[in-house]
Amino acid sequence: MSVISISKREELRRLAESARDKKAPYGEDIDLSIFEEPEERKGIEDLSKLPPEIQNVAVSSGIDITERDRAGSFVQLDHSVIYQKIQAAYKGQLEIMSINDALEKYPELEEYWWKAVRVDQDKYTAYAELYPVHGYFIRIFPGQKVDRAIQACLLLEENAKAQNVHNIIIVEEGASAQVITGCSIAPRVKEGLHIGISEFYVKKGAKLVFTMIHNWAEGFHVRPRTGIIVEDDGIYVSNYVLLKPVRSIQSFPTAILEGENSKAVFNSLIYGLKDSNIDIGSRIILRGRNSSGEAISRAIVADRSRIYARGTLVAQNDESKAHLDCRGILFSNEGMMYAIPELIADRSPKSILSHEAAIGPIAEEEIEYLMTRGLSKDEAVSLITQGFMDVKILGLPKHLEDYIRKMIELTQKESM
């Protein structure tokens, strides 16, 4: 049991109850009652002890089973935290544990619980508070520069279940880290629900690079709810990759740049396949003096998929600036894409906000040029697609960049 005070727990429950049936403003509405809670599972001593099919899907989501290139690992299978470890060389630099253990160990963590995300935001945040929840707590100690990525893996092995997650990451003053989160399912899982509450706190002079790779299924619903608060001279970078079909996903993380010289960057690479209904975006609120932001989105629409690419910039300080860049390619006569940029200057007439948005086909002259160089039409389209889905915008380590590039190539081949 967590040690959140009775008064706060009662207030949170009251707010959650008020939002139990509150539809989200974006995305497909879901009947949450059709999903069951998974049972608790036992832990494992080593990632190699995961069932082979689970290992395969974890690897396909960017997880290093050997942990050689990772500073630490966290694994949740269905509703259970089954593995958490810090490599010996990084002890004293960071800590990783289940969120429930963290709340019990650190009473002061209560001040971060539902601070960056509102508990009554919608029915999904309400669900996360009203039902049993697990998730990870990661903290980077002050001044520590963690030079290898920390990995967190959220997996589902049971069909038609709801995975309820609440995560908190705190990067203390002057610290830096990269976190890679892989979310995926076992091959036999055809439908289910993932609700993920994530609250990230980037302290003064700190930096967090957060990379999320999603691999779901055609009947799966996903509802992340993420809030980030960045202090003076802090930097937050978000990388999001979706290259597999999903029934629906709706995510609109908000970064609040409270501090002077704070910065947020959102990058996303999205491949819409089959009947996927994808509603992805980001919001950057610029409050601090000289705060800045950037959101870059690359999306491909294939089959009958729909992609809503949202981006909102809100300037609340005259000395702030931010830019949106959203581009999409339609491969299908049955697919649809909506680019929805929104710029808001809130009592900050000297702020600078800008956006570029474009949706269209691959230019025929580009294909023809490559064909004159000896490529087939399919090879030309594949090469142009890979260039459009430029992995370099993510700024990842080379081994992970190469891995995602291969994933894009495979997705492209499968979709043609």
Side-chain angles (χ1 to χ4, degrees), residues 173-187:
E173 185 171 331
S176 64
Q178 179 178 164
V179 175
I180 298 170
T181 296
C183 297
S184 193
I185 56 176

Side-chain angles (χ1 to χ4, degrees), residues 48-258:
S48 65
K49 303 298 183 183
L50 286 168
E53 70 273 14
I54 295 296
Q55 288 191 43
N56 290 337
V57 298
V59 169
S60 71
S61 300
I63 300 303
D64 180 1
I65 297 295
T66 70
E67 301 184 85
R68 283 193 294 266
D69 294 317
R70 300 291 185 262
S73 302
F74 174 96
V75 179
Q76 179 172 329
L77 184 59
D78 294 323
H79 190 60
S80 307
V81 177
I82 64 168
Y83 186 78
Q84 49 195 9
K85 180 181 179 181
I86 298 172
Q87 299 299 330
Y90 295 90
K91 289 181 178 177
Q93 295 188 43
L94 68 145
E95 58 183 340
I96 303 171
M97 65 186 76
S98 78
I99 191 63
N100 293 310
D101 288 347
L103 288 168
E104 189 169 339
K105 182 177 181 180
Y106 298 115
E108 64 272 22
L109 195 58
E110 176 179 324
E111 68 175 283
Y112 296 97
W113 190 248
W114 292 113
K115 177 181 178 182
V117 177
R118 286 175 44 201
V119 70
D120 59 349
Q121 178 176 318
D122 55 33
K123 64 197 292 184
Y124 310 106
T125 55
Y127 185 99
E129 175 60 25
L130 295 172
Y131 293 89
V133 68
H134 282 291
Y136 56 76
F137 171 71
I138 299 173
R139 183 165 72 101
I140 314 302
F141 298 144
Q144 297 298 320
K145 311 293 186 183
V146 180
D147 59 2
R148 289 189 180 182
I150 302 158
Q151 63 183 7
C153 191
L154 304 173
L155 299 164
L156 272 153
E157 192 177 25
E158 296 186 50
N159 197 51
K161 303 294 184 180
Q163 186 180 57
N164 195 19
V165 176
H166 195 144
N167 308 311
I168 290 180
I169 298 177
I170 300 174
V171 186
E172 299 285 7
E173 185 171 331
S176 64
Q178 179 178 164
V179 175
I180 298 170
T181 296
C183 297
S184 193
I185 56 176
R188 64 175 169 271
V189 175
K190 303 304 179 186
E191 58 185 3
L193 169 68
H194 170 86
I195 293 177
I197 312 302
S198 296
E199 303 186 85
F200 302 154
Y201 301 92
V202 182
K203 301 293 187 173
K204 185 176 180 180
K207 180 178 181 180
L208 172 62
V209 179
F210 183 80
T211 299
M212 179 174 284
I213 301 173
H214 273 180
N215 287 323
W216 301 111
E218 295 175 46
F220 210 89
H221 296 279
V222 188
R223 294 295 182 272
R225 298 291 182 261
T226 302
I228 309 101
I229 297 176
V230 187
E231 297 183 2
D232 290 355
D233 299 302
I235 299 173
Y236 173 73
V237 179
S238 168
N239 297 315
Y240 179 75
V241 179
L242 175 66
L243 301 175
K244 297 293 183 181
V246 63
R247 174 64 185 87
S248 76
I249 180 169
Q250 194 277 310
S251 177
F252 196 47
T254 296
I256 303 175
L257 304 182
E258 296 279 11

Side-chain angles (χ1 to χ4, degrees), residues 278-298:
I278 301 166
D279 196 316
I280 296 286
S282 61
R283 179 191 292 116
I284 302 175
I285 300 176
L286 303 108
R287 291 181 181 168
R289 188 172 70 86
N290 200 37
S291 56
S292 62
E294 183 179 38
I296 300 174
S297 174
R298 297 290 181 268

